[in-house]
Amino acid sequence: MSPFLVTRTLPEDATGADLRADVLHGLTRTPKDLPPKWFYDARGSELFEEITRLPEYYPTRAEREILVARAAEIAAVTRARTLVELGSGSSEKTRHLIDALLPGLESYVPVDVSESALRGAAAALTAEHPALQVHALIADFTRGLALPGTPGPRLVAFLGGTLGNLLPEQRKAFLRSVRALLAPGDALLLGTDLVKDERTLVAAYDDAAGVTAAFNKNVLSVLARELGADVDPDDFEHVAVWDRENEWIEMRLRARGPLTVKIRELDLAVTFEAGEEMRTEVSAKFRQEGVRGELASAGMELAHWWTDEAGRFALSLATAV
């Protein structure tokens, strides 16, 4: 079995410093908000995996359907010798791509902030594919990224619809940073959830079993554990709404009554009025023309567009121009 490499480009204390900065910024402004990346501690990751299996939550199944149906075509078009995956997590869905790209695929570069997720995925992949070189990067891809020297052509994959969690200006900066990674012959494989009827969209973020509500409230447990916040998740209710103008879902936490949250590590007291909402996630939904335009603004051209049979989700293959 070939060994795998793990390189840390994210400072050891970066997560704690980022959390303190985000909470201080987000909870002292009006309206209050928190970035969605703080959902994903160990418990939050478990809850999200449960969400992906819920009947209401279609994106994971729809994207997997496309990958299964189109992986061979993606491999034939890109002929990638290196696969780079941003926000790789467990790398579970990527196995369809890896299987299709072999035997020409020589290197896999998963990028994530979670060292434990990277090590687990790397160990499993090297056991399954002993000839595949795995070089995991502990890094925050939203801060720009330097990739290790690997053979081209390279396919950079950003799956799961995670692009939609970035606000428009953040998306613009992120796509430009991806473009900077691409050499001639390289490509980007991008997953985007598509605009559809409001009922389907809201149900995907407000399931009947309450798993998404637990996932949303888990961010409060993160604040309590990491920053000493005296917050009770039962003091808040989960809210999911469709913003028609911006074409995105917003997840929020709504205070059930007036309260004050003291955050010991920040020496901060945050007051909430009854009914006041704190935004915890934006999940933008896309149309083909919008994706094409955002890619073009970043210096990339939409070369292929694939959807699941029901037209709920899309994978785009883009090349540098």
Side-chain angles (χ1 to χ4, degrees):
M1 182 176 68
S2 62
F4 59 84
L5 297 175
V6 179
T7 299
R8 174 181 286 277
T9 63
L10 191 68
E12 289 279 1
D13 63 345
T15 299
D18 285 356
L19 175 61
R20 290 190 291 273
D22 285 345
V23 171
L24 183 61
H25 174 73
L27 298 193
T28 56
R29 61 187 305 224
T30 303
K32 297 177 176 67
D33 67 13
L34 286 173
K37 65 181 179 180
W38 301 117
F39 287 136
Y40 297 96
D41 65 349
R43 177 58 180 154
S45 297
E46 290 174 359
L47 286 167
F48 183 71
E49 286 301 313
E50 191 174 341
I51 287 169
T52 65
R53 298 189 291 268
L54 292 170
E56 297 97 330
Y57 194 80
Y58 61 85
T60 302
R61 290 189 298 276
E63 186 178 48
R64 184 179 293 111
E65 178 188 325
I66 305 168
L67 284 170
V68 170
R70 301 293 185 174
E73 185 177 352
I74 294 167
V77 169
T78 63
R79 293 189 286 182
R81 296 169 65 200
T82 294
L83 174 63
V84 179
E85 185 178 12
L86 307 180
S88 56
S90 66
S91 303
E92 188 269 330
K93 282 183 295 188
T94 322
R95 284 170 165 77
H96 299 294
L97 275 178
I98 290 172
D99 290 343
L101 288 165
L102 289 171
L105 185 68
E106 298 177 30
S107 181
Y108 173 55
V109 183
V111 182
D112 205 280
V113 296
S114 171
E115 181 173 356
S116 60
L118 285 170
R119 288 189 178 276
L125 283 167
T126 51
E128 293 169 19
H129 305 291
L132 183 65
Q133 298 297 312
V134 178
H135 190 157
L137 296 184
I138 306 167
D140 183 348
F141 57 78
T142 64
R143 296 180 171 185
L145 193 62
L147 295 175
T150 54
R154 295 184 298 187
L155 175 61
V156 178
F158 190 44
L159 304 176
T162 309
L163 184 73
N165 295 145
L166 304 177
L167 294 171
E169 286 304 311
Q170 295 171 325
R171 291 203 304 266
K172 183 182 296 185
F174 168 74
L175 289 172
R176 285 177 176 168
S177 73
V178 171
R179 168 63 184 87
L181 297 175
L182 302 182
D186 293 348
L188 166 68
L189 184 66
L190 179 65
T192 50
D193 196 8
L194 302 180
V195 174
K196 56 187 65 66
D197 68 283
E198 181 175 347
R199 178 180 294 184
T200 298
L201 286 165
V202 172
Y205 294 84
D206 192 12
D207 60 278
V211 182
T212 311
F215 174 71
N216 194 6
K217 290 184 180 186
N218 184 66
V219 74
L220 301 174
S221 299
V222 172
L223 300 189
R225 183 183 65 249
E226 301 296 333
L227 299 179
D230 64 342
V231 61
D232 184 347
D234 290 338
D235 287 338
F236 292 83
E237 60 182 327
H238 165 69
V239 179
V241 295
W242 172 240
D243 183 325
R244 292 182 183 85
E245 181 179 353
N246 291 303
E247 293 193 323
W248 65 43
I249 286 281
E250 283 195 12
M251 289 211 314
R252 306 170 185 167
L253 289 170
R254 178 185 294 154
R256 296 183 186 275
L259 63 113
T260 299
V261 176
K262 295 178 181 178
I263 305 175
R264 186 183 64 242
E265 293 296 318
L266 298 177
D267 192 24
L268 179 67
V270 181
T271 59
F272 288 83
E273 302 296 330
E276 184 177 352
E277 295 178 343
M278 172 174 63
R279 187 172 73 186
T280 52
E281 182 178 83
V282 160
S283 185
K285 308 306 171 186
F286 296 87
R287 303 174 187 272
Q288 183 176 1
E289 59 270 26
V291 173
R292 186 187 303 276
E294 292 196 30
L295 289 169
S297 294
M300 291 179 281
E301 181 179 11
L302 179 62
H304 295 272
W305 171 270
W306 299 287
T307 71
D308 62 298
E309 188 173 346
R312 300 166 296 177
F313 199 94
L315 285 182
S316 304
L317 190 71
T319 55
V321 294

PDB file of all heavy atoms in Angstrom, residues 125-140:
ATOM      1  N   LEU A 125      -8.628   5.300   0.837  1.00  0.00           N
ATOM      2  CA  LEU A 125      -8.352   5.329  -0.595  1.00  0.00           C
ATOM      3  C   LEU A 125      -7.048   4.630  -0.944  1.00  0.00           C
ATOM      4  O   LEU A 125      -6.959   3.940  -1.961  1.00  0.00           O
ATOM      5  CB  LEU A 125      -8.331   6.768  -1.098  1.00  0.00           C
ATOM      6  CG  LEU A 125      -9.709   7.417  -1.287  1.00  0.00           C
ATOM      7  CD1 LEU A 125      -9.583   8.912  -1.475  1.00  0.00           C
ATOM      8  CD2 LEU A 125     -10.441   6.786  -2.461  1.00  0.00           C
ATOM      9  N   THR A 126      -6.024   4.808  -0.133  1.00  0.00           N
ATOM     10  CA  THR A 126      -4.760   4.138  -0.431  1.00  0.00           C
ATOM     11  C   THR A 126      -4.868   2.634  -0.228  1.00  0.00           C
ATOM     12  O   THR A 126      -4.173   1.861  -0.892  1.00  0.00           O
ATOM     13  CB  THR A 126      -3.614   4.704   0.432  1.00  0.00           C
ATOM     14  OG1 THR A 126      -4.006   4.703   1.812  1.00  0.00           O
ATOM     15  CG2 THR A 126      -3.262   6.119   0.010  1.00  0.00           C
ATOM     16  N   ALA A 127      -5.776   2.224   0.673  1.00  0.00           N
ATOM     17  CA  ALA A 127      -6.008   0.790   0.832  1.00  0.00           C
ATOM     18  C   ALA A 127      -6.714   0.217  -0.392  1.00  0.00           C
ATOM     19  O   ALA A 127      -6.409  -0.892  -0.842  1.00  0.00           O
ATOM     20  CB  ALA A 127      -6.834   0.530   2.095  1.00  0.00           C
ATOM     21  N   GLU A 128      -7.664   0.977  -0.941  1.00  0.00           N
ATOM     22  CA  GLU A 128      -8.418   0.515  -2.105  1.00  0.00           C
ATOM     23  C   GLU A 128      -7.596   0.603  -3.387  1.00  0.00           C
ATOM     24  O   GLU A 128      -7.744  -0.228  -4.294  1.00  0.00           O
ATOM     25  CB  GLU A 128      -9.687   1.357  -2.264  1.00  0.00           C
ATOM     26  CG  GLU A 128     -10.708   1.179  -1.146  1.00  0.00           C
ATOM     27  CD  GLU A 128     -11.802   2.241  -1.228  1.00  0.00           C
ATOM     28  OE1 GLU A 128     -11.965   2.858  -2.297  1.00  0.00           O
ATOM     29  OE2 GLU A 128     -12.485   2.454  -0.213  1.00  0.00           O
ATOM     30  N   HIS A 129      -6.758   1.637  -3.485  1.00  0.00           N
ATOM     31  CA  HIS A 129      -6.003   1.901  -4.714  1.00  0.00           C
ATOM     32  C   HIS A 129      -4.529   2.111  -4.363  1.00  0.00           C
ATOM     33  O   HIS A 129      -4.067   3.259  -4.264  1.00  0.00           O
ATOM     34  CB  HIS A 129      -6.563   3.138  -5.424  1.00  0.00           C
ATOM     35  CG  HIS A 129      -8.034   3.061  -5.716  1.00  0.00           C
ATOM     36  ND1 HIS A 129      -8.562   2.188  -6.638  1.00  0.00           N
ATOM     37  CD2 HIS A 129      -9.084   3.740  -5.188  1.00  0.00           C
ATOM     38  CE1 HIS A 129      -9.881   2.341  -6.681  1.00  0.00           C
ATOM     39  NE2 HIS A 129     -10.218   3.271  -5.814  1.00  0.00           N
ATOM     40  N   PRO A 130      -3.781   1.039  -4.172  1.00  0.00           N
ATOM     41  CA  PRO A 130      -2.393   1.153  -3.702  1.00  0.00           C
ATOM     42  C   PRO A 130      -1.490   1.983  -4.605  1.00  0.00           C
ATOM     43  O   PRO A 130      -0.518   2.572  -4.126  1.00  0.00           O
ATOM     44  CB  PRO A 130      -1.919  -0.301  -3.650  1.00  0.00           C
ATOM     45  CG  PRO A 130      -3.169  -1.104  -3.523  1.00  0.00           C
ATOM     46  CD  PRO A 130      -4.214  -0.364  -4.300  1.00  0.00           C
ATOM     47  N   ALA A 131      -1.787   2.063  -5.893  1.00  0.00           N
ATOM     48  CA  ALA A 131      -0.918   2.816  -6.805  1.00  0.00           C
ATOM     49  C   ALA A 131      -1.231   4.318  -6.803  1.00  0.00           C
ATOM     50  O   ALA A 131      -0.463   5.108  -7.357  1.00  0.00           O
ATOM     51  CB  ALA A 131      -1.047   2.266  -8.221  1.00  0.00           C
ATOM     52  N   LEU A 132      -2.352   4.712  -6.198  1.00  0.00           N
ATOM     53  CA  LEU A 132      -2.762   6.117  -6.210  1.00  0.00           C
ATOM     54  C   LEU A 132      -2.006   6.895  -5.138  1.00  0.00           C
ATOM     55  O   LEU A 132      -2.023   6.538  -3.961  1.00  0.00           O
ATOM     56  CB  LEU A 132      -4.272   6.222  -5.963  1.00  0.00           C
ATOM     57  CG  LEU A 132      -4.884   7.628  -6.006  1.00  0.00           C
ATOM     58  CD1 LEU A 132      -4.777   8.223  -7.409  1.00  0.00           C
ATOM     59  CD2 LEU A 132      -6.356   7.580  -5.565  1.00  0.00           C
ATOM     60  N   GLN A 133      -1.360   7.974  -5.543  1.00  0.00           N
ATOM     61  CA  GLN A 133      -0.680   8.850  -4.589  1.00  0.00           C
ATOM     62  C   GLN A 133      -1.685   9.849  -4.016  1.00  0.00           C
ATOM     63  O   GLN A 133      -2.342  10.572  -4.782  1.00  0.00           O
ATOM     64  CB  GLN A 133       0.471   9.594  -5.281  1.00  0.00           C
ATOM     65  CG  GLN A 133       1.560   8.692  -5.824  1.00  0.00           C
ATOM     66  CD  GLN A 133       2.265   7.908  -4.720  1.00  0.00           C
ATOM     67  OE1 GLN A 133       2.657   8.461  -3.696  1.00  0.00           O
ATOM     68  NE2 GLN A 133       2.405   6.606  -4.926  1.00  0.00           N
ATOM     69  N   VAL A 134      -1.815   9.859  -2.713  1.00  0.00           N
ATOM     70  CA  VAL A 134      -2.751  10.763  -2.045  1.00  0.00           C
ATOM     71  C   VAL A 134      -1.955  11.783  -1.235  1.00  0.00           C
ATOM     72  O   VAL A 134      -1.154  11.409  -0.376  1.00  0.00           O
ATOM     73  CB  VAL A 134      -3.725  10.000  -1.136  1.00  0.00           C
ATOM     74  CG1 VAL A 134      -4.664  10.977  -0.420  1.00  0.00           C
ATOM     75  CG2 VAL A 134      -4.542   8.993  -1.946  1.00  0.00           C
ATOM     76  N   HIS A 135      -2.165  13.050  -1.535  1.00  0.00           N
ATOM     77  CA  HIS A 135      -1.506  14.135  -0.806  1.00  0.00           C
ATOM     78  C   HIS A 135      -2.589  15.053  -0.255  1.00  0.00           C
ATOM     79  O   HIS A 135      -3.126  15.895  -0.968  1.00  0.00           O
ATOM     80  CB  HIS A 135      -0.556  14.913  -1.723  1.00  0.00           C
ATOM     81  CG  HIS A 135       0.317  15.878  -0.991  1.00  0.00           C
ATOM     82  ND1 HIS A 135       1.512  16.332  -1.503  1.00  0.00           N
ATOM     83  CD2 HIS A 135       0.195  16.469   0.230  1.00  0.00           C
ATOM     84  CE1 HIS A 135       2.067  17.162  -0.628  1.00  0.00           C
ATOM     85  NE2 HIS A 135       1.278  17.269   0.418  1.00  0.00           N
ATOM     86  N   ALA A 136      -2.938  14.849   0.999  1.00  0.00           N
ATOM     87  CA  ALA A 136      -4.016  15.615   1.631  1.00  0.00           C
ATOM     88  C   ALA A 136      -3.493  16.963   2.120  1.00  0.00           C
ATOM     89  O   ALA A 136      -2.394  17.056   2.666  1.00  0.00           O
ATOM     90  CB  ALA A 136      -4.596  14.820   2.790  1.00  0.00           C
ATOM     91  N   LEU A 137      -4.319  17.999   1.937  1.00  0.00           N
ATOM     92  CA  LEU A 137      -3.963  19.341   2.389  1.00  0.00           C
ATOM     93  C   LEU A 137      -4.946  19.807   3.456  1.00  0.00           C
ATOM     94  O   LEU A 137      -6.157  19.871   3.204  1.00  0.00           O
ATOM     95  CB  LEU A 137      -3.996  20.336   1.227  1.00  0.00           C
ATOM     96  CG  LEU A 137      -3.014  20.158   0.075  1.00  0.00           C
ATOM     97  CD1 LEU A 137      -3.173  21.316  -0.909  1.00  0.00           C
ATOM     98  CD2 LEU A 137      -1.590  20.093   0.579  1.00  0.00           C
ATOM     99  N   ILE A 138      -4.433  20.098   4.653  1.00  0.00           N
ATOM    100  CA  ILE A 138      -5.247  20.726   5.687  1.00  0.00           C
ATOM    101  C   ILE A 138      -5.199  22.219   5.406  1.00  0.00           C
ATOM    102  O   ILE A 138      -4.197  22.891   5.684  1.00  0.00           O
ATOM    103  CB  ILE A 138      -4.702  20.420   7.094  1.00  0.00           C
ATOM    104  CG1 ILE A 138      -4.550  18.914   7.298  1.00  0.00           C
ATOM    105  CG2 ILE A 138      -5.624  21.011   8.162  1.00  0.00           C
ATOM    106  CD1 ILE A 138      -3.741  18.548   8.535  1.00  0.00           C
ATOM    107  N   ALA A 139      -6.259  22.737   4.809  1.00  0.00           N
ATOM    108  CA  ALA A 139      -6.227  24.119   4.329  1.00  0.00           C
ATOM    109  C   ALA A 139      -7.644  24.659   4.215  1.00  0.00           C
ATOM    110  O   ALA A 139      -8.610  23.907   4.112  1.00  0.00           O
ATOM    111  CB  ALA A 139      -5.530  24.189   2.965  1.00  0.00           C
ATOM    112  N   ASP A 140      -7.751  25.979   4.237  1.00  0.00           N
ATOM    113  CA  ASP A 140      -9.012  26.676   4.008  1.00  0.00           C
ATOM    114  C   ASP A 140      -8.982  27.189   2.573  1.00  0.00           C
ATOM    115  O   ASP A 140      -8.277  28.155   2.267  1.00  0.00           O
ATOM    116  CB  ASP A 140      -9.158  27.827   5.003  1.00  0.00           C
ATOM    117  CG  ASP A 140     -10.492  28.562   4.863  1.00  0.00           C
ATOM    118  OD1 ASP A 140     -11.204  28.339   3.854  1.00  0.00           O
ATOM    119  OD2 ASP A 140     -10.821  29.368   5.750  1.00  0.00           O
TER     120      ASP A 140
END
